[in-house]
Short mmCIF file of all heavy atoms in Angstrom, two decimals:
data_model
loop_
_atom_site.label_atom_id
_atom_site.label_comp_id
_atom_site.label_asym_id
_atom_site.label_seq_id
_atom_site.Cartn_x
_atom_site.Cartn_y
_atom_site.Cartn_z
N MET A 1 9.24 -12.81 -14.41
CA MET A 1 10.51 -12.15 -14.72
C MET A 1 10.28 -10.58 -14.63
O MET A 1 9.25 -10.08 -14.97
CB MET A 1 10.90 -12.53 -16.12
CG MET A 1 12.18 -11.93 -16.55
SD MET A 1 12.64 -12.33 -18.24
CE MET A 1 13.62 -13.82 -17.78
N THR A 2 11.32 -9.90 -14.17
CA THR A 2 11.18 -8.51 -13.95
C THR A 2 11.78 -7.78 -15.18
O THR A 2 12.89 -7.99 -15.54
CB THR A 2 11.91 -8.08 -12.71
OG1 THR A 2 11.40 -8.74 -11.58
CG2 THR A 2 11.75 -6.56 -12.45
N SER A 3 11.03 -6.88 -15.73
CA SER A 3 11.50 -6.05 -16.85
C SER A 3 12.23 -4.86 -16.33
O SER A 3 12.03 -4.46 -15.18
CB SER A 3 10.27 -5.60 -17.66
OG SER A 3 10.66 -4.61 -18.54
N ARG A 4 13.11 -4.29 -17.15
CA ARG A 4 13.82 -3.07 -16.77
C ARG A 4 12.85 -1.89 -16.66
O ARG A 4 13.09 -0.92 -16.00
CB ARG A 4 14.91 -2.77 -17.75
CG ARG A 4 16.06 -3.79 -17.68
CD ARG A 4 17.24 -3.28 -18.48
NE ARG A 4 16.87 -2.76 -19.79
CZ ARG A 4 17.75 -2.14 -20.62
NH1 ARG A 4 18.96 -2.11 -20.26
NH2 ARG A 4 17.29 -1.79 -21.79
N ASN A 5 11.64 -1.94 -17.21
CA ASN A 5 10.67 -0.92 -17.20
C ASN A 5 9.75 -0.97 -15.99
O ASN A 5 8.90 -0.25 -15.81
CB ASN A 5 9.77 -0.97 -18.45
CG ASN A 5 10.56 -0.58 -19.73
OD1 ASN A 5 11.57 0.01 -19.59
ND2 ASN A 5 9.93 -0.84 -20.80
N GLN A 6 10.02 -1.96 -15.08
CA GLN A 6 9.14 -2.08 -13.86
C GLN A 6 9.99 -2.04 -12.66
O GLN A 6 11.18 -2.31 -12.67
CB GLN A 6 8.38 -3.43 -13.98
CG GLN A 6 7.48 -3.55 -15.16
CD GLN A 6 6.80 -4.90 -15.17
OE1 GLN A 6 7.25 -5.84 -14.59
NE2 GLN A 6 5.68 -4.95 -15.90
N ARG A 7 9.28 -1.59 -11.58
CA ARG A 7 9.98 -1.56 -10.26
C ARG A 7 9.02 -2.23 -9.25
O ARG A 7 7.80 -2.21 -9.42
CB ARG A 7 10.35 -0.18 -9.82
CG ARG A 7 9.10 0.69 -9.64
CD ARG A 7 9.52 2.17 -9.28
NE ARG A 7 8.36 3.04 -9.15
CZ ARG A 7 7.62 3.25 -8.05
NH1 ARG A 7 7.99 2.65 -6.99
NH2 ARG A 7 6.61 4.06 -8.11
N ALA A 8 9.64 -2.82 -8.17
CA ALA A 8 8.86 -3.51 -7.16
C ALA A 8 8.15 -2.39 -6.29
O ALA A 8 8.79 -1.43 -5.95
CB ALA A 8 9.73 -4.42 -6.35
N VAL A 9 6.93 -2.63 -5.95
CA VAL A 9 6.24 -1.77 -5.14
C VAL A 9 5.78 -2.48 -3.86
O VAL A 9 5.16 -3.60 -3.99
CB VAL A 9 4.93 -1.18 -5.86
CG1 VAL A 9 4.12 -0.35 -4.86
CG2 VAL A 9 5.35 -0.43 -7.08
N GLN A 10 6.22 -2.04 -2.69
CA GLN A 10 5.80 -2.68 -1.46
C GLN A 10 4.46 -2.22 -1.06
O GLN A 10 4.19 -1.03 -0.96
CB GLN A 10 6.81 -2.36 -0.31
CG GLN A 10 6.42 -3.01 1.06
CD GLN A 10 6.46 -4.54 0.93
OE1 GLN A 10 7.39 -5.17 0.62
NE2 GLN A 10 5.34 -5.16 1.37
N LEU A 11 3.54 -3.15 -0.85
CA LEU A 11 2.17 -2.87 -0.42
C LEU A 11 1.98 -3.23 1.02
O LEU A 11 2.66 -4.16 1.54
CB LEU A 11 1.13 -3.65 -1.30
CG LEU A 11 1.17 -3.29 -2.80
CD1 LEU A 11 0.20 -4.23 -3.49
CD2 LEU A 11 0.82 -1.85 -2.97
N TYR A 12 1.12 -2.56 1.68
CA TYR A 12 0.80 -2.83 3.11
C TYR A 12 -0.70 -2.98 3.23
O TYR A 12 -1.50 -2.28 2.52
CB TYR A 12 1.20 -1.62 3.94
CG TYR A 12 2.75 -1.59 4.14
CD1 TYR A 12 3.48 -0.89 3.12
CD2 TYR A 12 3.36 -2.20 5.19
CE1 TYR A 12 4.86 -0.85 3.21
CE2 TYR A 12 4.75 -2.12 5.22
CZ TYR A 12 5.44 -1.49 4.29
OH TYR A 12 6.89 -1.45 4.41
N GLU A 13 -1.13 -3.88 4.10
CA GLU A 13 -2.57 -4.11 4.37
C GLU A 13 -2.89 -3.32 5.67
O GLU A 13 -2.26 -3.55 6.65
CB GLU A 13 -2.82 -5.59 4.57
CG GLU A 13 -4.25 -5.91 4.75
CD GLU A 13 -4.49 -7.39 4.76
OE1 GLU A 13 -4.37 -7.97 5.94
OE2 GLU A 13 -4.70 -8.03 3.73
N ILE A 14 -3.79 -2.40 5.53
CA ILE A 14 -4.24 -1.57 6.69
C ILE A 14 -5.60 -2.14 7.11
O ILE A 14 -6.56 -2.19 6.30
CB ILE A 14 -4.45 -0.04 6.27
CG1 ILE A 14 -3.19 0.44 5.64
CG2 ILE A 14 -4.84 0.75 7.42
CD1 ILE A 14 -2.01 0.62 6.51
N THR A 15 -5.69 -2.56 8.35
CA THR A 15 -6.96 -3.03 8.94
C THR A 15 -7.45 -2.00 9.93
O THR A 15 -6.77 -1.71 10.89
CB THR A 15 -6.80 -4.41 9.55
OG1 THR A 15 -6.26 -5.31 8.66
CG2 THR A 15 -8.18 -4.94 10.06
N TYR A 16 -8.65 -1.42 9.64
CA TYR A 16 -9.25 -0.49 10.61
C TYR A 16 -10.06 -1.30 11.62
O TYR A 16 -11.12 -1.91 11.22
CB TYR A 16 -10.15 0.48 9.89
CG TYR A 16 -9.38 1.43 8.95
CD1 TYR A 16 -9.12 1.11 7.60
CD2 TYR A 16 -8.88 2.65 9.46
CE1 TYR A 16 -8.37 1.93 6.82
CE2 TYR A 16 -8.05 3.44 8.67
CZ TYR A 16 -7.90 3.09 7.30
OH TYR A 16 -7.14 3.94 6.53
N LEU A 17 -9.63 -1.36 12.84
CA LEU A 17 -10.26 -2.23 13.90
C LEU A 17 -11.44 -1.50 14.52
O LEU A 17 -11.44 -0.25 14.71
CB LEU A 17 -9.16 -2.63 14.86
CG LEU A 17 -7.96 -3.21 14.37
CD1 LEU A 17 -6.87 -3.35 15.47
CD2 LEU A 17 -8.27 -4.58 13.70
N GLY A 18 -12.47 -2.28 14.86
CA GLY A 18 -13.63 -1.70 15.54
C GLY A 18 -14.48 -0.83 14.72
O GLY A 18 -15.15 0.05 15.24
N THR A 19 -14.56 -1.07 13.45
CA THR A 19 -15.34 -0.20 12.52
C THR A 19 -16.66 -0.83 12.20
O THR A 19 -17.45 -0.37 11.36
CB THR A 19 -14.60 0.15 11.25
OG1 THR A 19 -14.28 -1.11 10.63
CG2 THR A 19 -13.34 0.90 11.44
N GLY A 20 -16.96 -1.87 12.89
CA GLY A 20 -18.30 -2.56 12.62
C GLY A 20 -18.16 -4.07 12.79
O GLY A 20 -17.13 -4.52 13.36
N PRO A 21 -19.12 -4.85 12.43
CA PRO A 21 -19.01 -6.27 12.59
C PRO A 21 -17.78 -6.87 11.88
O PRO A 21 -17.23 -7.85 12.35
CB PRO A 21 -20.35 -6.80 11.98
CG PRO A 21 -21.11 -5.62 11.54
CD PRO A 21 -20.37 -4.38 11.74
N GLU A 22 -17.49 -6.33 10.80
CA GLU A 22 -16.29 -6.75 10.02
C GLU A 22 -15.38 -5.55 9.88
O GLU A 22 -15.76 -4.48 9.48
CB GLU A 22 -16.64 -7.32 8.63
CG GLU A 22 -17.48 -8.60 8.69
CD GLU A 22 -17.71 -9.17 7.26
OE1 GLU A 22 -16.89 -8.83 6.34
OE2 GLU A 22 -18.67 -9.90 7.14
N SER A 23 -14.05 -5.78 10.17
CA SER A 23 -13.08 -4.65 10.05
C SER A 23 -12.88 -4.34 8.58
O SER A 23 -12.86 -5.22 7.73
CB SER A 23 -11.75 -5.16 10.66
OG SER A 23 -11.92 -5.43 12.01
N GLU A 24 -12.70 -3.03 8.30
CA GLU A 24 -12.44 -2.55 7.00
C GLU A 24 -10.95 -2.80 6.74
O GLU A 24 -10.07 -2.44 7.52
CB GLU A 24 -12.80 -1.06 6.85
CG GLU A 24 -12.47 -0.54 5.48
CD GLU A 24 -12.72 1.03 5.37
OE1 GLU A 24 -13.36 1.52 6.29
OE2 GLU A 24 -12.25 1.58 4.40
N VAL A 25 -10.67 -3.36 5.53
CA VAL A 25 -9.28 -3.66 5.15
C VAL A 25 -8.99 -2.96 3.83
O VAL A 25 -9.75 -3.02 2.88
CB VAL A 25 -9.03 -5.18 5.03
CG1 VAL A 25 -7.58 -5.46 4.62
CG2 VAL A 25 -9.32 -5.88 6.38
N ARG A 26 -7.82 -2.27 3.75
CA ARG A 26 -7.41 -1.59 2.59
C ARG A 26 -5.97 -2.00 2.29
O ARG A 26 -5.19 -2.22 3.26
CB ARG A 26 -7.48 -0.08 2.70
CG ARG A 26 -8.91 0.41 2.93
CD ARG A 26 -8.96 1.90 3.13
NE ARG A 26 -8.60 2.56 1.86
CZ ARG A 26 -8.32 3.78 1.72
NH1 ARG A 26 -8.29 4.56 2.80
NH2 ARG A 26 -8.05 4.25 0.61
N THR A 27 -5.56 -1.99 1.03
CA THR A 27 -4.20 -2.25 0.65
C THR A 27 -3.70 -0.94 0.04
O THR A 27 -4.30 -0.34 -0.86
CB THR A 27 -4.14 -3.32 -0.41
OG1 THR A 27 -4.67 -4.54 0.18
CG2 THR A 27 -2.69 -3.66 -0.78
N VAL A 28 -2.52 -0.49 0.53
CA VAL A 28 -1.89 0.74 0.15
C VAL A 28 -0.49 0.61 -0.11
O VAL A 28 0.15 -0.36 0.37
CB VAL A 28 -2.17 1.90 1.21
CG1 VAL A 28 -3.61 2.14 1.48
CG2 VAL A 28 -1.45 1.55 2.54
N GLU A 29 0.10 1.50 -0.90
CA GLU A 29 1.55 1.56 -1.22
C GLU A 29 2.20 2.11 0.07
O GLU A 29 1.63 2.82 0.86
CB GLU A 29 1.84 2.34 -2.37
CG GLU A 29 1.32 1.74 -3.67
CD GLU A 29 1.76 2.46 -4.93
OE1 GLU A 29 2.61 3.35 -4.78
OE2 GLU A 29 1.21 2.19 -6.02
N ALA A 30 3.54 1.93 0.13
CA ALA A 30 4.36 2.32 1.31
C ALA A 30 4.14 3.78 1.60
O ALA A 30 4.06 4.17 2.74
CB ALA A 30 5.83 2.01 1.06
N GLY A 31 4.07 4.67 0.57
CA GLY A 31 3.96 6.05 0.75
C GLY A 31 2.62 6.57 1.38
O GLY A 31 2.49 7.74 1.77
N GLU A 32 1.66 5.65 1.33
CA GLU A 32 0.33 6.00 1.84
C GLU A 32 0.06 5.58 3.28
O GLU A 32 -0.93 5.87 3.80
CB GLU A 32 -0.74 5.40 0.90
CG GLU A 32 -0.71 5.88 -0.54
CD GLU A 32 -1.58 5.09 -1.45
OE1 GLU A 32 -1.23 4.04 -1.93
OE2 GLU A 32 -2.72 5.65 -1.64
N VAL A 33 1.01 4.78 3.82
CA VAL A 33 0.80 4.24 5.13
C VAL A 33 0.64 5.31 6.20
O VAL A 33 -0.30 5.31 7.06
CB VAL A 33 1.93 3.27 5.59
CG1 VAL A 33 1.80 2.88 7.03
CG2 VAL A 33 1.97 2.06 4.69
N ALA A 34 1.46 6.37 6.23
CA ALA A 34 1.46 7.45 7.15
C ALA A 34 0.11 8.18 7.13
O ALA A 34 -0.49 8.47 8.18
CB ALA A 34 2.57 8.42 6.91
N ALA A 35 -0.44 8.38 5.91
CA ALA A 35 -1.72 9.09 5.77
C ALA A 35 -2.84 8.22 6.35
O ALA A 35 -3.79 8.70 6.99
CB ALA A 35 -2.00 9.36 4.32
N ALA A 36 -2.77 6.88 6.19
CA ALA A 36 -3.83 6.02 6.71
C ALA A 36 -3.82 6.04 8.18
O ALA A 36 -4.82 6.05 8.86
CB ALA A 36 -3.61 4.65 6.14
N ILE A 37 -2.58 6.07 8.81
CA ILE A 37 -2.49 6.06 10.24
C ILE A 37 -2.94 7.45 10.80
O ILE A 37 -3.70 7.48 11.84
CB ILE A 37 -1.04 5.78 10.70
CG1 ILE A 37 -0.65 4.37 10.35
CG2 ILE A 37 -0.78 6.09 12.20
CD1 ILE A 37 0.77 4.02 10.51
N GLU A 38 -2.63 8.52 10.12
CA GLU A 38 -3.05 9.83 10.53
C GLU A 38 -4.55 9.93 10.47
O GLU A 38 -5.22 10.47 11.45
CB GLU A 38 -2.40 10.91 9.67
CG GLU A 38 -2.72 12.30 10.10
CD GLU A 38 -2.07 13.38 9.25
OE1 GLU A 38 -1.08 13.09 8.51
OE2 GLU A 38 -2.58 14.52 9.18
N TYR A 39 -5.17 9.45 9.48
CA TYR A 39 -6.68 9.49 9.27
C TYR A 39 -7.31 8.70 10.47
O TYR A 39 -8.26 9.14 11.09
CB TYR A 39 -6.99 8.84 7.98
CG TYR A 39 -8.51 8.63 7.83
CD1 TYR A 39 -9.36 9.63 7.41
CD2 TYR A 39 -9.11 7.41 8.15
CE1 TYR A 39 -10.73 9.42 7.27
CE2 TYR A 39 -10.50 7.17 8.11
CZ TYR A 39 -11.30 8.19 7.63
OH TYR A 39 -12.63 8.05 7.55
N ALA A 40 -6.76 7.47 10.75
CA ALA A 40 -7.32 6.69 11.86
C ALA A 40 -7.16 7.50 13.22
O ALA A 40 -8.12 7.44 13.99
CB ALA A 40 -6.56 5.36 11.93
N GLY A 41 -6.01 8.13 13.46
CA GLY A 41 -5.84 8.83 14.72
C GLY A 41 -6.80 10.03 14.80
O GLY A 41 -7.32 10.28 15.91
N LYS A 42 -7.15 10.72 13.71
CA LYS A 42 -8.08 11.80 13.77
C LYS A 42 -9.44 11.32 14.13
O LYS A 42 -10.29 12.13 14.67
CB LYS A 42 -8.08 12.56 12.49
CG LYS A 42 -6.86 13.39 12.31
CD LYS A 42 -6.96 14.15 10.96
CE LYS A 42 -5.70 15.03 10.73
NZ LYS A 42 -5.77 15.74 9.43
N HIS A 43 -9.84 10.10 13.75
CA HIS A 43 -11.16 9.56 13.87
C HIS A 43 -11.21 8.58 15.08
O HIS A 43 -12.33 7.87 15.27
CB HIS A 43 -11.62 8.92 12.58
CG HIS A 43 -11.78 9.98 11.54
ND1 HIS A 43 -10.80 10.32 10.65
CD2 HIS A 43 -12.89 10.75 11.21
CE1 HIS A 43 -11.26 11.26 9.82
NE2 HIS A 43 -12.52 11.51 10.15
N GLY A 44 -10.19 8.47 15.86
CA GLY A 44 -10.17 7.58 17.00
C GLY A 44 -10.33 6.11 16.72
O GLY A 44 -10.95 5.35 17.44
N VAL A 45 -9.79 5.65 15.58
CA VAL A 45 -9.88 4.30 15.17
C VAL A 45 -8.50 3.67 15.30
O VAL A 45 -7.50 4.24 14.97
CB VAL A 45 -10.41 4.20 13.72
CG1 VAL A 45 -10.40 2.78 13.19
CG2 VAL A 45 -11.76 4.85 13.57
N GLN A 46 -8.42 2.45 15.81
CA GLN A 46 -7.16 1.69 15.80
C GLN A 46 -6.94 1.06 14.42
O GLN A 46 -7.89 0.58 13.77
CB GLN A 46 -7.16 0.67 16.94
CG GLN A 46 -7.22 1.24 18.28
CD GLN A 46 -7.15 0.10 19.34
OE1 GLN A 46 -7.44 -1.00 19.15
NE2 GLN A 46 -6.72 0.54 20.55
N VAL A 47 -5.67 0.96 14.11
CA VAL A 47 -5.33 0.25 12.85
C VAL A 47 -4.26 -0.76 13.09
O VAL A 47 -3.45 -0.65 14.04
CB VAL A 47 -4.82 1.20 11.79
CG1 VAL A 47 -5.95 2.11 11.34
CG2 VAL A 47 -3.64 1.99 12.25
N ARG A 48 -4.23 -1.78 12.26
CA ARG A 48 -3.14 -2.78 12.22
C ARG A 48 -2.53 -2.64 10.88
O ARG A 48 -3.20 -2.68 9.82
CB ARG A 48 -3.72 -4.20 12.43
CG ARG A 48 -2.60 -5.24 12.38
CD ARG A 48 -3.10 -6.64 12.65
NE ARG A 48 -4.12 -7.01 11.62
CZ ARG A 48 -5.16 -7.70 11.89
NH1 ARG A 48 -5.50 -8.08 13.08
NH2 ARG A 48 -5.99 -8.04 10.89
N VAL A 49 -1.22 -2.54 10.83
CA VAL A 49 -0.46 -2.41 9.56
C VAL A 49 0.39 -3.65 9.38
O VAL A 49 1.23 -3.91 10.20
CB VAL A 49 0.38 -1.10 9.50
CG1 VAL A 49 1.12 -0.99 8.23
CG2 VAL A 49 -0.50 0.13 9.88
N CYS A 50 0.17 -4.32 8.27
CA CYS A 50 1.01 -5.50 7.96
C CYS A 50 1.52 -5.41 6.49
O CYS A 50 0.78 -5.05 5.65
CB CYS A 50 0.19 -6.78 8.07
SG CYS A 50 -0.53 -7.04 9.68
N PRO A 51 2.86 -5.67 6.35
CA PRO A 51 3.32 -5.67 4.93
C PRO A 51 2.73 -6.85 4.17
O PRO A 51 2.55 -7.95 4.76
CB PRO A 51 4.83 -5.79 5.10
CG PRO A 51 5.01 -6.42 6.45
CD PRO A 51 3.86 -5.94 7.30
N CYS A 52 2.40 -6.72 2.90
CA CYS A 52 2.00 -7.74 2.12
C CYS A 52 3.21 -8.60 1.74
O CYS A 52 4.31 -8.09 1.64
CB CYS A 52 1.31 -7.24 0.76
SG CYS A 52 -0.21 -6.44 1.10
N ARG A 53 3.03 -9.89 1.65
CA ARG A 53 4.13 -10.80 1.43
C ARG A 53 4.92 -10.53 0.20
O ARG A 53 6.15 -10.55 0.17
CB ARG A 53 3.74 -12.24 1.44
CG ARG A 53 3.35 -12.63 2.84
CD ARG A 53 2.91 -14.10 2.84
NE ARG A 53 2.55 -14.51 4.21
CZ ARG A 53 3.22 -15.48 4.87
NH1 ARG A 53 4.09 -16.12 4.30
NH2 ARG A 53 2.85 -15.70 6.10
N HIS A 54 4.30 -10.31 -0.96
CA HIS A 54 4.98 -10.18 -2.23
C HIS A 54 4.77 -8.82 -2.78
O HIS A 54 3.61 -8.48 -3.04
CB HIS A 54 4.63 -11.30 -3.17
CG HIS A 54 4.76 -12.67 -2.65
ND1 HIS A 54 6.03 -13.22 -2.57
CD2 HIS A 54 3.89 -13.57 -2.13
CE1 HIS A 54 5.88 -14.39 -2.06
NE2 HIS A 54 4.63 -14.66 -1.82
N PRO A 55 5.82 -8.08 -3.10
CA PRO A 55 5.59 -6.79 -3.77
C PRO A 55 5.11 -7.05 -5.18
O PRO A 55 5.32 -8.04 -5.72
CB PRO A 55 6.96 -6.12 -3.76
CG PRO A 55 7.96 -7.19 -3.44
CD PRO A 55 7.19 -8.34 -2.77
N VAL A 56 4.32 -6.14 -5.67
CA VAL A 56 3.81 -6.26 -6.99
C VAL A 56 4.72 -5.41 -7.94
O VAL A 56 5.35 -4.52 -7.52
CB VAL A 56 2.31 -5.78 -7.14
CG1 VAL A 56 1.39 -6.66 -6.31
CG2 VAL A 56 2.24 -4.36 -6.74
N GLU A 57 4.63 -5.73 -9.20
CA GLU A 57 5.41 -4.95 -10.18
C GLU A 57 4.55 -3.79 -10.71
O GLU A 57 3.37 -4.00 -11.07
CB GLU A 57 5.79 -5.86 -11.37
CG GLU A 57 6.69 -7.01 -10.93
CD GLU A 57 8.05 -6.56 -10.36
OE1 GLU A 57 8.59 -5.53 -10.88
OE2 GLU A 57 8.55 -7.10 -9.43
N LYS A 58 5.09 -2.63 -10.69
CA LYS A 58 4.44 -1.45 -11.10
C LYS A 58 5.15 -0.93 -12.33
O LYS A 58 6.39 -0.74 -12.29
CB LYS A 58 4.40 -0.33 -10.00
CG LYS A 58 3.66 0.89 -10.38
CD LYS A 58 3.59 1.80 -9.26
CE LYS A 58 2.82 3.05 -9.54
NZ LYS A 58 2.68 3.91 -8.36
N PRO A 59 4.47 -0.62 -13.41
CA PRO A 59 5.18 -0.11 -14.59
C PRO A 59 5.92 1.15 -14.31
O PRO A 59 5.43 2.06 -13.58
CB PRO A 59 4.00 0.15 -15.64
CG PRO A 59 2.86 -0.59 -15.08
CD PRO A 59 3.05 -0.72 -13.65
N SER A 60 7.07 1.35 -14.90
CA SER A 60 7.93 2.54 -14.70
C SER A 60 7.22 3.63 -15.41
O SER A 60 6.60 3.49 -16.47
CB SER A 60 9.28 2.30 -15.27
OG SER A 60 10.01 3.46 -15.21
N THR A 61 7.49 4.85 -14.91
CA THR A 61 6.91 6.08 -15.55
C THR A 61 7.93 6.68 -16.53
O THR A 61 7.61 7.59 -17.24
CB THR A 61 6.49 7.13 -14.51
OG1 THR A 61 7.58 7.42 -13.68
CG2 THR A 61 5.30 6.65 -13.67
N LYS A 62 9.16 6.14 -16.49
CA LYS A 62 10.17 6.63 -17.41
C LYS A 62 9.97 6.06 -18.74
O LYS A 62 9.53 4.99 -18.92
CB LYS A 62 11.56 6.17 -16.88
CG LYS A 62 12.00 6.85 -15.62
CD LYS A 62 13.42 6.35 -15.34
CE LYS A 62 13.98 7.04 -14.04
NZ LYS A 62 15.25 6.55 -13.76
N LYS A 63 10.31 6.83 -19.79
CA LYS A 63 10.25 6.42 -21.14
C LYS A 63 11.64 5.95 -21.58
O LYS A 63 12.59 6.61 -21.30
CB LYS A 63 9.78 7.48 -22.06
CG LYS A 63 8.30 7.86 -21.79
CD LYS A 63 7.82 8.87 -22.79
CE LYS A 63 6.39 9.18 -22.46
NZ LYS A 63 5.67 9.51 -23.60
N GLU A 64 11.70 4.78 -22.18
CA GLU A 64 13.04 4.36 -22.62
C GLU A 64 13.50 5.23 -23.79
O GLU A 64 12.78 5.67 -24.64
CB GLU A 64 12.85 2.89 -23.13
CG GLU A 64 12.78 1.94 -21.94
CD GLU A 64 13.47 0.59 -22.25
OE1 GLU A 64 14.32 0.48 -23.18
OE2 GLU A 64 12.95 -0.39 -21.64
N GLY A 65 14.79 5.48 -23.74
CA GLY A 65 15.43 6.23 -24.81
C GLY A 65 15.15 7.74 -24.71
O GLY A 65 15.47 8.49 -25.53
N ALA A 66 14.60 8.24 -23.54
CA ALA A 66 14.30 9.61 -23.36
C ALA A 66 15.63 10.30 -23.08
O ALA A 66 16.45 9.80 -22.38
CB ALA A 66 13.36 9.83 -22.24
N SER A 67 15.80 11.43 -23.61
CA SER A 67 17.05 12.22 -23.45
C SER A 67 16.96 13.14 -22.28
O SER A 67 16.04 13.75 -22.06
CB SER A 67 17.41 13.01 -24.69
OG SER A 67 17.51 12.17 -25.79
#
């Protein structure tokens, strides 16, 4: 169940290809995808970006009853 104090956060799985015998995989929030792609471009690494199937619930930073 979703509380009013939480919001859904879309996560993406970033796979850095060709970084060794096993590819490095990181999970980032939507706002971090561009930075991960930019980093890969600067270092000549290919990446695969896939959305995670289910967004996770992240606690809200708002305080209830705040004026």
Side-chain angles (χ1 to χ4, degrees):
M1 181 178 272
T2 302
S3 167
R4 290 190 316 174
N5 290 344
Q6 296 178 340
R7 63 181 175 92
V9 175
Q10 178 62 55
L11 297 177
Y12 290 83
E13 186 175 87
I14 308 289
T15 305
Y16 293 91
L17 305 171
T19 56
E22 292 186 25
S23 299
E24 180 183 345
V25 179
R26 297 179 68 195
T27 302
V28 299
E29 292 185 13
E32 299 173 275
V33 172
I37 293 170
E38 184 177 338
Y39 172 85
K42 286 181 179 179
H43 293 89
V45 178
Q46 292 183 338
V47 292
R48 180 178 61 218
V49 180
C50 299
C52 292
R53 290 183 176 237
H54 302 287
V56 297
E57 295 298 320
K58 182 175 183 177
S60 174
T61 57
K62 290 184 179 179
K63 294 186 181 208
E64 285 210 26
S67 304

